Amino acid sequence: MIWGIFAAMALGGLTIALLPIRRAGASLIQRADAVPAVLVDQLEEVDRDIARGLVSAPEADAAKQEIRRRMAQVLRRADQQSVATSGGRGALFLAAVFVPVMAFGYYAVAGAPDVPAVAFADRADERADTRRIAEVAGQLREKLMADPDGGPTKGWMMLGQTYVRMGRFDEAVTAFRRASGRDDAESATWSMLAEAMIRANDGTVTPDAVTALDRSLTLDVSNPAAVFYLAIADAQAGEVAAAHDRLTARLAETPGYQRWMDTYIAQANAYGETLGRAPIASRAPVAPGPSAADIAAAQEMSEGDRAAFIRSMVDRLATRLQDEPDDVDGWLRLANAFGVLHEMDKAREAYLRADALMPEGDPRKADVRASIAGLDKP
């Protein structure tokens, strides 16, 4: 039955494809507008956020799915325009015949449409988790809506964050708006609202988002997310120098090291490169190496004991990095240790982990990539 349906569909497609060959004059063909560059930039930004450890893999997947959905919407809205089609009939005829035949042959050999592919079947757990999350989100929303008091603020915040992870940014905005309208709304409530608005608008910082960011800073002037997105708004308005100044000023007034500084430095260096300004060095602390006592103890050991001692230190470091995978300096130390032990494959893997975590403006990145290239040489 299914093959009969496919045969009818192929015949219909062949008929439609061959009609233009018989027709004289101009014909209409679909012409998609160029997909806005900002959507492509958003996909790259998600990859950079993964590398910087700002988002988890599920959050990144949800964001990418939403971006691709919006790409599809843009393409569906593409206008038709009339173009003359006077040549290429032979190629059109070959394509009209060849494509259905090849498709039929491929499915006949590769598998029936009613048999799930292995890759699709392997994602059953992932799809089940997605359905469960959606069900829980729906139940939470119903509970909040049914509450005569409007539901607790924390409940709306939780719902908004869940929608963000699912890539349903418009619904996240609605949830965060509910929370931001309460007397107990905090600075983070407004910055999360602004971020959801930005992601719902393909990375564009809208005037409503700027208003939410300003409110966030009013409640907490030290909120790093608010300052960061206001800098993005500056850059989108063409004020790249103001965006750079905003980020560097926030860095200058904050002592010590915070995790968000890596993102600030990477973004500021991207702007600085455009402006011709000197790059900002990473402020991440350098992880300590072996102590003097460790070195002295190792020097007094036999060669076999020394190797065992080094191996134990490497194993401890590798174990710790499983629990703290965002420690760039730890991965660099581990890569160096594996190099000493002549375990080049493991050294390369550790260098790659460190490279993925480093922002583009990190001056250590060039040395890491040079080390990886050296390990790749035969």
Side-chain angles (χ1 to χ4, degrees), residues 7 16 37 84 86 96 120 135 152 156 165 183 254 312-313 316 368:
I16 294 172
S86 58
F120 183 79
E135 290 173 0
W156 287 107
R165 294 188 183 97
D183 293 337
T254 307
S312 66
M313 292 185 64
R316 286 199 303 272
V368 170

Side-chain angles (χ1 to χ4, degrees), residues 77-275:
R77 290 196 299 265
D79 296 329
Q80 286 187 333
Q81 73 175 44
S82 177
V83 297
T85 55
S86 58
R89 293 185 178 182
L92 179 59
F93 179 82
L94 289 176
V97 175
F98 187 71
V99 172
V101 171
M102 285 299 297
F104 182 87
Y106 173 80
Y107 281 108
V109 174
D114 56 343
V115 178
V118 173
F120 183 79
D122 285 345
R123 296 177 59 191
D125 291 342
E126 177 185 342
R127 296 194 303 276
D129 289 341
T130 301
R131 285 195 299 270
R132 282 194 292 268
I133 293 173
E135 290 173 0
V136 171
Q139 293 169 1
L140 176 58
R141 184 181 183 280
E142 291 177 3
K143 184 177 180 180
L144 292 169
M145 293 293 291
D147 190 326
D149 296 328
T153 302
K154 289 183 178 180
W156 287 107
M157 290 295 295
M158 183 181 300
L159 183 62
Q161 291 170 316
T162 302
Y163 281 141
V164 167
R165 294 188 183 97
M166 297 169 64
R168 295 161 59 172
F169 302 118
D170 290 332
E171 292 168 281
V173 169
T174 300
F176 286 134
R177 279 193 187 279
R178 291 264 191 168
S180 64
R182 308 295 180 80
D183 293 337
D184 57 347
E186 300 176 348
S187 175
T189 306
W190 288 94
S191 62
M192 288 183 185
L193 170 60
E195 183 176 2
M197 290 177 174
I198 294 166
R199 298 181 71 173
N201 286 278
D202 305 321
T204 300
V205 185
T206 62
D208 284 345
V210 171
T211 299
L213 292 170
D214 288 338
R215 177 59 178 163
S216 176
L217 286 180
T218 300
L219 294 173
D220 182 5
V221 70
S222 65
N223 187 324
V227 175
F228 180 81
Y229 284 115
L230 285 173
I232 298 295
D234 291 337
Q236 290 179 353
E239 300 292 336
V240 179
H244 186 272
D245 292 343
R246 189 187 293 271
L247 294 174
T248 53
R250 182 70 173 86
L251 288 167
E253 67 187 21
T254 307
Y257 171 75
Q258 302 291 333
R259 291 286 298 276
W260 53 263
M261 290 180 175
D262 294 331
T263 304
Y264 266 54
I265 291 173
Q267 193 66 51
N269 284 340
Y271 295 148
E273 185 176 358
T274 302
L275 298 168

